[in-house]
């Protein structure tokens, strides 16, 4: 990863960091004229229309682990498993990318294309999948970010981080507010799921295994289900 953007969010129990290339800029990014995939709306009884965004993609590999694991490929692997879980639950799923490549040759164009997909007609929710990295290798575990000030985003982030912590056997962690491109520019409710820290040797080892990736996907989908159930009870 040529450049990493770190944002440290401090609390009494959590040291937080996000490494989303290009997501912290407030600069306006133009839309691409090309057509973009859209979700096919489904009846509410059969589920939502959900966009899954696998962060980064060649030539932008994202964060790199202590033994060389590359974020972009791990993001796509977890995103594909999450797609399987959500589809099995009856949701309609669109991926921002389905192979190892980014959506465009430049970061600006890539992020613009993602925005167009996220905001396509019929989309109900956006889940962006990433891996974290930090200078302190002891920092570990999942994190979930929502757009600061978004009540719905906070609720979704909370159900997902609660589900992840429970599934992974980790102490409960708070959902974190942020101001990153994916969650800021998305019209539907959106969160960024940081699956773990590639800078932590144990996290990196787990994140490269299919079993752990599958566990993450199941936990994220369970958190989404909890969010949907809570909304239906209101």
């Amino acid at each position: 990863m040529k450049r990493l953007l770190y944002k440290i969010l401090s609390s009494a129990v959590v040291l937080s960091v996000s490494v989303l290339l290009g997501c912290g800029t407030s600069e306006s990014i133009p839309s691409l004229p090309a057509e973009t995939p859209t979700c096919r709306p489904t009846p509410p009884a059969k589920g939502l229309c959900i966009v899954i965004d696998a962060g980064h993609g060649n030539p932008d590999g994202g964060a790199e682990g202590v033994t060389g694991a590359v974020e972009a490929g791990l993001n796509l692997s977890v995103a594909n498993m999450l797609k399987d879980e959500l589809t099995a639950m009856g949701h309609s799923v669109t991926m921002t990318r389905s192979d190892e490549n980014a959506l465009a040759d430049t970061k600006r164009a890539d992020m613009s294309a993602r925005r167009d997909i996220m905001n396509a007609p019929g989309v109900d929710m956006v889940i962006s999948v990433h891996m974290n990295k930090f200078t302190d290798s002891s920092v570990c575990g999942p994190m979930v970010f929502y757009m600061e000030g978004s009540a719905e985003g906070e609720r979704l982030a909370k159900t997902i981080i609660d589900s992840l912590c429970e599934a992974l056997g980790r102490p409960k962690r708070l959902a974190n507010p942020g101001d990153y491109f994916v969650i800021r520019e998305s019209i539907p409710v959106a969160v960024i799921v940081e699956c773990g820290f590639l800078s932590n040797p144990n996290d990196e080892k787990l994140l490269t295994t299919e079993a752990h990736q599958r566990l993450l996907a199941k936990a994220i989908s369970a958190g989404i289900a909890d969010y949907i159930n809570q909304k239906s009870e209101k």
Side-chain angles (χ1 to χ4, degrees):
M1 185 175 189
K2 294 181 179 179
R3 294 173 53 205
L4 294 174
L5 178 64
Y6 301 108
K7 178 170 177 141
I8 303 175
L9 304 172
S10 304
S11 68
V13 294
V14 179
L15 177 60
S16 309
V17 119
S18 175
V19 288
L20 302 174
L21 260 173
C23 294
T25 178
S26 59
E27 184 178 5
S28 177
I29 297 180
S31 298
L32 291 181
E35 292 184 2
T36 56
T38 60
C39 275
R40 296 185 180 276
T42 55
K46 291 187 177 180
L48 303 181
C49 184
I50 301 175
V51 167
I52 301 176
D53 172 49
H56 304 285
N58 290 337
D60 171 18
E64 186 171 322
V66 291
T67 65
V70 179
E71 178 186 1
L74 299 177
N75 293 344
L76 183 59
S77 182
V78 173
N80 280 327
M81 292 179 185
L82 179 58
K83 177 183 178 181
D84 292 342
E85 294 294 330
L86 293 176
T87 300
M89 293 166 61
H91 300 295
S92 176
V93 175
T94 291
M95 304 283 285
T96 56
R97 68 179 177 98
S98 57
D99 59 26
E100 70 277 10
N101 298 313
L103 279 65
D105 293 335
T106 68
K107 190 66 180 178
R108 282 172 58 85
D110 173 71
M111 297 307 292
S112 177
R114 292 175 198 256
R115 178 179 59 191
D116 290 343
I117 296 170
M118 294 186 303
N119 293 332
V123 175
D124 297 301
M125 180 185 296
V126 176
I127 308 294
S128 188
V129 179
H130 285 261
M131 306 290 151
N132 233 331
K133 187 173 183 178
F134 190 46
T135 51
D136 182 353
S137 63
S138 68
V139 180
C140 61
M143 297 178 65
V144 182
F145 288 86
Y146 62 92
M147 181 61 197
E148 188 170 8
S150 169
E152 286 301 312
E154 183 175 6
R155 279 190 281 271
L156 177 59
K158 184 180 186 304
T159 59
I160 292 177
I161 191 61
D162 285 351
S163 180
L164 280 166
C165 290
E166 180 178 358
L168 301 178
R170 292 183 178 271
K172 184 170 288 191
R173 176 171 280 178
L174 297 175
N176 292 94
D179 185 6
Y180 306 112
F181 183 89
V182 171
I183 51 178
R184 182 177 67 245
E185 296 295 319
S186 176
I187 295 172
V189 60
V191 296
I192 296 169
V193 180
E194 297 278 1
C195 296
F197 284 79
L198 292 177
S199 48
N200 178 272
N202 188 56
D203 266 13
E204 183 195 26
K205 183 177 180 180
L206 288 171
L207 290 167
T208 58
T209 66
E210 181 179 349
H212 190 75
Q213 292 171 6
R214 184 71 64 186
L215 182 61
L216 289 167
K218 287 182 178 295
I220 296 168
S221 63
I224 293 171
D226 288 342
Y227 168 80
I228 295 171
N229 290 336
Q230 288 179 15
K231 282 182 67 69
S232 66
E233 293 171 357
K234 290 184 178 181

